[in-house]
Amino acid sequence: MELNDTITREALQPVETENAAPRKVFMKTYGCQMNVYDSQRMSDALSLEGYLPTEVIEDADLILINTCHIREKAAEKVYSQLGRLRKLKDERAARGRETLVGVAGCVAQAEGDEILRRAPVVDLVIGPQTYHRLPQVVRKARAGEKVVETEYAIEDKFEHLPSASRNATRSRGVTAFLTVQEGCDKFCTFCVVPYTRGSEVSRPVAKIVAEAEKLADAGVREVTLLGQNVNAWHGEGPDGSEWGLGKLLFRLAEIPGIARLRYTTSHPRDMDDALIEAHRDLDILMPYLHLPVQSGSDRILKAMNRKHTAADYLALVDRIRAAKPDIAMSGDFIVGFPGESDEDFEATMQLVRDVTYAQAFSFKYSPRPGTPGAEMGSHVDETVKDERLQRLQALLITQQRAFAASLVNKEMDLLIEKAGREAGQRVGRSPWLQPVIVDEKAGEIGDIVRVRITKAGPNSLFSEPV
């Protein structure tokens, strides 16, 4: 999944109690789109407790860190940040103001009670499967109890979370994430997700459609379906039968107001015929697919427990492109997995040349505690990892720029999302997910306008209205 740092920004309406000013929550979100979605839902839950989001940490009565466990030494980085928060909390306590500090997300799930032991500044720890209990957890913490809430049953946590208020939904703009699936049953040997997010759980169709309709009613034009293995989604349909992601996309395409659909992140083993047919037949489904492969070496893929070969992946890409010729491929790659030889790495480079990616994410392997990969021998030297990563990224960047250049002089539909950095600009997203800059006279935020690409920059495209 994509990695970035985000601070949630929602203008939720607080529930004020008599003679009490609304409390404020500052939330820092690390990691993937799933964490961004979770932060929004936690804010929704906290709004019912009278908490108003703030972007100024010094103003917050509750500070929540929503953590990611993908990067190396993620837990240590959390403890470092908590050390800085201790000083802020002590200074405010000296002035008689209470401040609660909480840790959420995948590090919280993995570390649990250890966080309270190592960082006494923390008042509450809550894992991704128990966010529906956040209001009760906060109440306990305010009463002086140290709370760790990470135990969960195999249940649909979304059933327990409050729906966002209309004002909160409207504040999120014209694009939105919608989680349909969570957890993973694949157990790749490099990954902590099955241990921090649990087994695969799919939301029923009715719940997904209801949330999508609410988003559409609030002005959302583009919805991205989220899941650790989103194309493994198999939810209960309105007739009681089991639906797959392809059928769900056809249903969501019927909702008035929704003009674009996307989904991420996919696993090659779950890309079935119905989903490929959705790409072929649904114009509303954007021609962009994030389909991680991780390695081009069959030997390394087996060690990773991916349960597909490089040839399987290439054949799948051919089938997808036959159904949707203009589709742009995105992927994930790990270099330096234990035992990776020069030949294994060259196989990855060849796969990249064979596929040609419009965008990709590549990382050096780093062992995650508790995963089988961490216990393997033959770990690759860091200098070798560095050299391989630089070579791979150079190839991927060349392909990404070539794809962007291929769009120059082409016309496309652009969803305008926000104002640009420069006066008189608007910024939107192409069907292939690139940022596109256009003159503000082209349309208003939320409009879908026809543009012609005039120039390809390093990270964005420039356009003119047609």
Side-chain angles (χ1 to χ4, degrees), residues 140-402:
K140 289 180 181 179
R142 289 188 62 218
E145 182 180 344
K146 295 280 188 176
V147 189
V148 176
E149 192 72 75
T150 57
E151 296 297 322
Y152 61 91
I154 302 299
E155 60 179 272
D156 188 352
K157 73 171 186 179
F158 308 101
E159 293 292 326
H160 306 281
L161 286 172
S163 298
S165 67
R166 179 168 296 186
N167 286 337
T169 304
R170 288 189 188 281
S171 73
R172 290 174 189 160
V174 297
T175 67
F177 295 129
L178 198 171
T179 292
V180 300
Q181 180 272 341
E182 185 165 352
C184 183
D185 295 339
K186 300 298 186 290
F187 287 93
C188 298
T189 56
F190 54 81
C191 186
V192 298
V193 166
Y195 310 101
T196 58
R197 291 279 181 171
S199 299
E200 291 178 1
V201 178
S202 296
R203 296 178 76 183
V205 173
K207 296 291 184 181
I208 296 169
V209 170
E211 186 168 343
E213 288 175 339
K214 178 172 288 188
L215 292 171
D217 182 56
V220 168
R221 306 298 311 278
E222 177 179 293
V223 174
T224 299
L225 307 183
L226 294 182
Q228 267 81 34
N229 269 344
V230 68
N231 56 344
W233 177 87
H234 51 280
E236 181 184 353
D239 58 355
S241 66
E242 185 175 275
W243 287 24
L245 187 62
K247 190 171 183 179
L248 175 66
L249 288 164
F250 275 96
R251 173 64 184 89
L252 295 176
E254 298 172 358
I255 297 175
I258 300 297
R260 290 181 165 190
L261 292 171
R262 303 183 189 272
Y263 62 91
T264 193
T265 293
S266 304
H267 195 290
R269 288 166 53 196
D270 295 312
M271 199 80 196
D272 62 16
D273 291 341
L275 187 50
I276 295 174
E277 289 168 5
H279 279 282
R280 182 193 66 196
D281 298 336
L282 280 178
D283 291 336
I284 195 174
L285 181 57
M286 292 296 96
Y288 177 89
L289 177 60
H290 186 64
L291 191 65
V293 63
Q294 309 300 354
S295 175
S297 162
D298 289 347
R299 192 174 70 85
I300 297 301
L301 288 170
K302 184 176 181 179
M304 289 177 167
N305 196 37
R306 294 289 290 175
K307 295 184 179 176
H308 63 78
T309 66
D312 294 336
Y313 182 85
L314 292 171
L316 177 59
V317 170
D318 286 344
R319 288 175 55 213
I320 295 166
R321 283 180 165 156
K324 189 70 173 178
D326 66 339
I327 199 164
M329 301 299 300
S330 172
D332 289 347
F333 295 90
I334 295 173
V335 302
F337 190 79
E340 183 186 69
S341 65
D342 289 341
E343 291 76 15
D344 294 321
F345 175 70
E346 288 302 327
T348 297
M349 295 287 282
Q350 187 57 50
L351 182 141
V352 172
R353 296 185 193 101
D354 291 340
V355 173
T356 63
Y357 289 90
Q359 188 177 19
F361 306 93
S362 51
F363 311 94
K364 294 187 297 183
Y365 172 75
S366 59
R368 302 272 71 83
T371 61
E375 306 302 320
M376 293 180 180
S378 304
H379 281 261
V380 178
D381 186 81
E382 287 297 319
T383 58
V384 176
K385 290 182 188 178
D386 288 336
E387 187 272 336
R388 290 176 182 171
L389 184 62
Q390 290 175 22
R391 286 179 57 199
L392 175 60
Q393 288 182 340
L395 175 58
L396 291 169
I397 289 171
T398 298
Q399 293 186 350
Q400 180 177 334
R401 291 178 176 172

